Amino acid sequence: MSLSHAILTALIDENLTGYELAKQFDVSLGFFWQASHQQIYRELKQLHEQDYVAVEEVPQLGKPDKRVYSLTAAGQQMLEAWILAPTRSRNPKDELFIKLYNVGLVPIASIIAAIDQRQDEHRRKLALYRKIESRSYADPASLSDRKKGIYLSLLAGIRQEETGLGWCIDARKLLASVDT
Amino acid sequence: MSLSHAILTALIDENLTGYELAKQFDVSLGFFWQASHQQIYRELKQLHEQDYVAVEEVPQLGKPDKRVYSLTAAGQQMLEAWILAPTRSRNPKDELFIKLYNVGLVPIASIIAAIDQRQDEHRRKLALYRKIESRSYADPASLSDRKKGIYLSLLAGIRQEETGLGWCIDARKLLASVDT
DNA sequence: CGGTACATGTAATCTGTTACATGATTCA
DNA sequence: TGAATCATGTAACAGATTACATGTACCG
């Protein structure tokens, strides 16, 4: 599965602890692939058993010892092979649409409330992504190759949020004609 | 979880067998919530234990007996309560972006191939959604309330695919400036 | 004194995927 | 004859979520 590949990807540039990886998965890569710390620790254990990552134990004063993970040659090879393989497309799952199939069953206000909630989420994410864009990716053509790839992910995020936001507005308009 | 709610939603208008439900989950509702027949049979068993659905066994000639499921009053109440509750937003997971974070690690042609594959998927889905739109939802304002909800789901699908398709085209352009 | 950050994990449960299993009918 | 459709399921495994568990340090 792909959590392992996401972890290996994060380890290309820097060596990280499980804790630091979990934080990475709350931002950046985490915009497109989320994982909890429990998943990450479990996955790191398995990656280590297969020698795709190496560990260095770093004792610390007053804190638990750190376990700093780094990518091995085998790990990088595995990652490269996975990139060449066909990409599995995610099956979409969105509760909001199940709710929309039930217009007429419940007061329309409750459906509209769900759309408003979604609209807020889109707005928050869009603001965040645009901030990152203007800070680090203002001139895409002059970016390094690696940054171009990351920029394209960000661009996909921006457009998805814009599309979602626009849809929320139009959905509200159409639902205004529904009573109850 | 929401598979149960998707099943109850499908049972509002018609009584269905597990097999028929599985087919529904390949189209319509399935555009936004996918499930395999194994999941559906398991879920139906649980829904029945909780009395959210009722079963009628229908003997058939030459075929295995059918088990036709219908929504109970308790099931409908449960569904209504769920619609009123806050909508959990799905954590996004898309392998393609993990691959994009690795531009520079592998020949760029392999990343472009992944984008082309995605572009095809968008095109296929878009063509399908537009066909459904022109057949059944050409005049949104005149639809029944229930159909309006379903139409909005379809509209979201159409826009998502359009956005994805546009992104693929732009991604290809930017990656044209990357060598190797 | 309470909350947040640092830092690592286990256990139980819930979902999802893949493979296996059966058997009739219809269409090309 | 072989593939597709109808119709139901079990079993094993993989992946994700939620709750539990521990303990220090620093900031206000």
Side-chain angles (χ1 to χ4, degrees), chain A:
Chain A
M1 74 108 175
S2 308
L3 174 54
S4 51
H5 307 109
I7 289 174
L8 297 181
T9 296
L11 291 176
I12 289 176
D13 301 313
E14 347 163 53
N15 300 341
L16 297 167
T17 66
Y19 186 81
E20 288 163 337
L21 275 164
K23 274 197 304 180
Q24 289 275 116
F25 276 84
D26 284 336
V27 292
S28 188
L29 238 188
F31 299 146
F32 315 103
W33 198 279
Q34 287 189 343
S36 63
H37 79 273
Q38 292 89 338
Q39 274 176 282
I40 289 164
Y41 282 119
R42 190 177 6 154
E43 199 66 35
L44 280 170
K45 198 199 276 182
Q46 285 168 230
L47 286 170
H48 185 229
E49 279 164 15
Q50 296 168 292
D51 288 315
Y52 293 141
V53 297
V55 197
E56 194 198 352
E57 301 234 10
V58 180
Q60 296 193 120
L61 295 174
K63 290 180 190 174
D65 292 356
K66 271 189 192 180
R67 296 171 60 79
V68 179
Y69 291 88
S70 55
L71 188 60
T72 63
Q76 185 168 331
Q77 266 170 41
M78 189 278 245
L79 180 60
E80 287 169 10
W82 173 79
I83 295 168
L84 301 179
T87 308
R88 282 183 303 174
S89 57
R90 295 304 304 175
N91 53 346
K93 298 221 163 159
D94 194 332
E95 293 189 354
L96 185 58
F97 299 120
I98 304 181
K99 293 193 178 185
L100 275 168
Y101 269 68
N102 287 293
V103 166
L105 191 75
V106 293
I108 192 66
S110 59
I111 307 262
I112 290 175
I115 292 172
D116 286 346
Q117 186 197 314
R118 176 62 57 93
Q119 198 173 335
D120 268 0
E121 285 168 30
H122 285 312
R123 262 203 271 264
R124 274 191 296 102
K125 283 195 189 174
L126 189 54
L128 174 61
Y129 294 170
R130 283 207 174 124
K131 202 168 160 183
I132 295 171
E133 186 191 28
S134 63
R135 279 199 189 158
S136 310
Y137 302 94
D139 183 14
S142 66
L143 294 169
S144 71
D145 288 354
R146 187 161 170 74
K147 288 245 167 176
K148 275 179 188 161
I150 299 175
Y151 164 73
L152 284 175
S153 303
L154 183 66
L155 182 64
I158 289 171
R159 296 209 184 156
Q160 277 167 23
E161 300 306 328
E162 283 172 344
T163 302
L165 193 52
W167 176 85
C168 286
I169 291 163
D170 294 338
R172 285 211 52 150
K173 272 184 210 155
L174 187 67
L175 293 182
S177 66
V178 176
D179 348 82
T180 75

Side-chain angles (χ1 to χ4, degrees), chain B residues 3-74:
Chain B
L3 174 54
S4 52
H5 306 110
I7 289 174
L8 298 181
T9 296
L11 291 177
I12 290 177
D13 300 314
E14 347 163 55
N15 300 341
L16 296 168
T17 66
Y19 185 81
E20 288 164 337
L21 276 163
K23 275 197 303 178
Q24 289 276 115
F25 276 84
D26 284 336
V27 293
S28 188
L29 237 188
F31 298 147
F32 315 104
W33 198 280
Q34 286 187 344
S36 63
H37 79 274
Q38 292 90 338
Q39 274 177 281
I40 288 166
Y41 282 119
R42 192 177 24 180
E43 200 66 35
L44 279 171
K45 199 199 275 183
Q46 285 169 232
L47 286 170
H48 186 229
E49 280 164 15
Q50 296 168 295
D51 287 315
Y52 292 140
V53 296
V55 198
E56 194 198 353
E57 301 235 9
V58 180
Q60 296 193 119
L61 294 175
K63 290 181 191 174
D65 292 356
K66 271 190 192 180
R67 296 171 61 78
V68 180
Y69 291 88
S70 54
L71 188 60
T72 64

